[in-house]
Amino acid sequence: MLPDQSRSFLSPTHPCPTPWNPADMECLTTLSYRSGDLSAYLTEIVRRVNQLLGSDWTIITLCDGGTGRIVVSSIDLDQKDASFSLHGSLAEVVVQSGRSLLLNDDLPDWRNFQFPDSYRGYLGIPLRATDQQVMGTICSFQRQPRQFEASVIKTIESFATRAAIAIENYRLYHQQLQFNEQLSQAIAISTAELKQSQEKLIERERLAALGEFTAMIVHEIRNPLTTIQMGLRFAQKVLTTDIDRQRLDLAVSESQRLTRLLQEILYYAKPQVLQRTNINISQFLADMMCCGQQLPEAAERSIHYVQAFSEIEVIADPDKLKQVFLNLLRNALEAIAPGDTVRCWLTRDTRPDWITIRLHNGGAPIPPELLPQLTTPFCSTKPMGTGLGLAISKRIIVAHGGELEITSSVSGTTVSVHLPIMGYHEFALTISS
């Protein structure tokens, strides 16, 4: 029950122990809640209130629901003493009534409330926000019953108003900081996405222009090259000496290599149009490893394949993926010595809806400075390589929404293909070829 408000403010029987000085309020203007010293601001208010009232203990509390918390105290408190239940407390009376409360133990109803031991007097002032909601209190406790003039209580209410404004502004300030941070992050993400989209658009435009230019160049070269090859084949029929044959065979071989190079350039420059379908990637890779064992590069070499799933599907173009993995297998087989093994395994990616296919060869390591360039056109570690195989493979994987990654060390080179998946059932199966 609330005390009778007519008895809450009693006529004075003792003078105020510390005369009121306007400087007591002016000193607060030197403190700023924005610089993070809200605690110092509130501590100064508590010190001034405690001094002005001549109290034995003064606190500022904040209330949320049924719980109160002491945020500043004129005497040191243990952390465990900072929180308390509002139910039945004097702070609850002040918060619910929204009015200042003066209570001494000479009133008949003061024992109806939780009162700290050894204290006999209490003054509670509400901390009122701008929307008139009470957020907490300034409370002063006296070991002896005390009575204060209404003017003194009004002064303490002024302190409470300053404290409430500081707390509210502090909260709004930090809410604004948090909002600004979230806004900055959102802008950074949007900027990165926009930059990525612009880069993709520029890349598409570049490739489209490159494709048109390449198609024209390939057409212009292919026609005279065909004529040259016809002449070389005719010469093979009429020239019979060994030295002539050797020169012609070399010329024919080089013309064929030039034809393949033109075809690869044209293939790289053309847009990757995918004919997607659902593929059981586990079975697809098992079939690819069997095909890979029949490659000429696999002579005296073996392929060891481990799949961790039996049923796992991706939406992909099977012909394009076959082109990728045949190229990766050829590279891996060419990198190892006779008798060695290329290892391939299918595993779960670090991302939940992705899988990873890795091919590892134990060949000589690739220099670190060369690794980032391997998927760019015309970069190759092979003496007779065109440098377009990995570039084309990467374009195909990226067109599928995936990623191609190459790492190398003294233990060999690993090519990792990351692809998004539809679903999977875990299973362990080992196939040795």
Side-chain angles (χ1 to χ4, degrees):
M1 110 183 168
L2 299 179
D4 185 348
Q5 291 299 327
S6 65
R7 292 183 295 171
S8 296
F9 299 104
L10 304 181
S11 59
T13 57
H14 301 284
C16 179
T18 302
W20 165 242
N21 186 344
D24 290 333
M25 294 294 287
E26 293 176 2
C27 72
L28 298 178
T29 61
T30 63
L31 298 173
S32 171
Y33 61 86
R34 291 189 179 184
S35 61
D37 58 357
L38 176 65
S39 178
Y41 188 92
L42 298 180
T43 298
E44 182 64 17
I45 287 179
V46 163
R47 188 184 72 81
R48 295 284 175 161
V49 169
N50 204 62
Q51 182 183 35
L52 180 62
L53 297 177
S55 297
D56 297 296
W57 181 29
T58 301
I59 60 175
I60 291 179
T61 70
L62 291 179
C63 303
D64 183 13
T67 303
R69 181 168 57 90
I70 300 174
V71 293
V72 179
S73 171
S74 62
I75 60 176
D76 293 335
L77 293 177
D78 292 335
Q79 190 65 29
K80 63 181 180 180
D81 297 328
S83 297
F84 60 93
S85 173
L86 278 179
H87 181 67
S89 68
L90 294 169
E92 181 185 36
V93 177
V94 177
V95 170
Q96 288 185 354
S97 68
R99 300 180 62 183
S100 299
L101 173 66
L102 177 61
L103 188 65
N104 290 306
D105 66 356
D106 55 2
L107 294 175
D109 51 5
W110 78 277
R111 296 187 181 276
N112 294 330
F113 305 97
Q114 298 175 6
F115 212 83
D117 293 339
S118 75
Y119 291 99
R120 300 178 59 191
Y122 170 83
L123 175 62
I125 309 293
L127 299 180
R128 196 183 308 277
T130 53
D131 60 1
Q132 300 304 308
Q133 294 294 319
V134 178
M135 66 174 70
T137 64
I138 292 182
C139 303
S140 285
F141 299 91
Q142 295 84 35
R143 297 189 183 277
Q144 297 297 327
R146 293 285 304 282
Q147 299 170 1
F148 302 104
E149 294 179 352
S151 60
V152 174
I153 294 176
K154 288 294 184 183
T155 299
I156 306 304
E157 289 174 345
S158 297
F159 276 105
T161 299
R162 298 293 292 269
I165 292 173
I167 293 171
E168 190 170 29
N169 287 347
Y170 180 83
R171 289 174 173 174
L172 291 173
Y173 176 71
H174 282 272
Q175 286 175 2
Q176 185 64 44
L177 289 180
Q178 186 178 10
F179 174 78
N180 291 344
E181 177 64 22
Q182 292 173 346
L183 184 61
S184 297
Q185 292 176 358
I187 291 174
I189 292 173
S190 298
T191 302
E193 291 175 349
L194 178 60
K195 183 179 179 181
Q196 188 177 22
S197 298
Q198 289 175 336
E199 290 174 350
K200 287 181 179 179
L201 180 60
I202 292 172
E203 179 66 8
R204 289 195 194 99
E205 293 175 347
R206 186 187 71 82
L207 289 174
L210 177 62
E212 293 177 3
F213 177 75
T214 302
M216 181 182 66
I217 294 297
V218 169
H219 175 74
E220 293 298 324
I221 295 177
R222 185 178 285 168
N223 287 339
L225 180 60
T226 301
T227 303
I228 292 171
Q229 289 174 333
M230 290 173 61
L232 291 174
R233 285 194 291 270
F234 177 78
Q236 282 180 315
K237 296 177 181 179
V238 297
L239 298 177
T240 58
T241 63
D242 291 342
I243 188 65
D244 291 335
R245 285 280 185 182
Q246 290 176 5
R247 289 173 179 173
L248 281 172
D249 289 344
L250 178 60
V252 169
S253 174
E254 288 299 296
S255 69
Q256 292 173 343
R257 189 168 76 88
L258 182 56
T259 300
R260 290 194 300 271
L261 176 60
L262 290 174
Q263 186 59 40
E264 288 184 356
I265 292 174
L266 186 61
Y267 191 87
Y268 175 78
K270 288 173 60 178
Q272 296 298 323
V273 180
L274 304 180
Q275 303 297 324
R276 294 176 182 266
T277 186
N278 292 357
I279 300 175
N280 184 327
I281 193 66
S282 305
Q283 187 59 48
F284 175 84
L285 289 171
D287 294 340
M288 285 299 306
M289 297 307 118
C290 292
C291 291
Q293 196 64 65
Q294 308 306 316
L295 294 172
E297 294 85 354
E300 301 182 36
R301 297 164 178 83
S302 62
I303 301 172
H304 183 76
Y305 172 52
V306 176
Q307 67 183 83
F309 313 97
S310 62
E311 296 293 335
I312 181 168
E313 290 190 337
V314 298
I315 302 178
D317 186 324
D319 292 334
K320 296 291 178 63
L321 283 189
K322 184 175 182 179
Q323 179 183 351
V324 169
F325 286 105
L326 282 177
N327 180 65
L328 296 181
L329 277 172
R330 284 195 178 97
N331 289 345
L333 290 166
E334 289 175 349
I336 61 175
D340 287 347
T341 301
V342 170
R343 303 188 180 278
C344 176
W345 62 96
L346 171 65
T347 65
R348 187 200 304 269
D349 196 88
T350 54
R351 292 159 290 191
D353 298 327
W354 288 60
I355 50 97
T356 298
I357 303 108
R358 289 191 170 90
L359 286 92
H360 175 79
N361 71 75
I366 300 172
E369 65 275 9
L370 191 58
L371 281 175
Q373 306 174 36
L374 288 179
T375 54
T376 58
F378 308 111
C379 177
S380 178
T381 58
K382 305 174 187 176
M384 300 296 291
T386 63
L388 285 170
L390 282 174
I392 293 172
S393 296
K394 181 177 180 179
R395 284 204 64 202
I396 292 174
I397 295 302
V398 170
H400 281 84
E403 301 167 359
L404 189 144
E405 176 188 9
I406 304 173
T407 57
S408 190
S409 65
V410 292
S411 62
T413 300
T414 301
V415 179
S416 300
V417 176
H418 308 276
L419 289 173
I421 63 176
M422 294 178 58
Y424 60 85
H425 304 288
E426 295 190 22
F427 182 73
L429 175 66
T430 301
I431 300 176
S432 298
S433 301

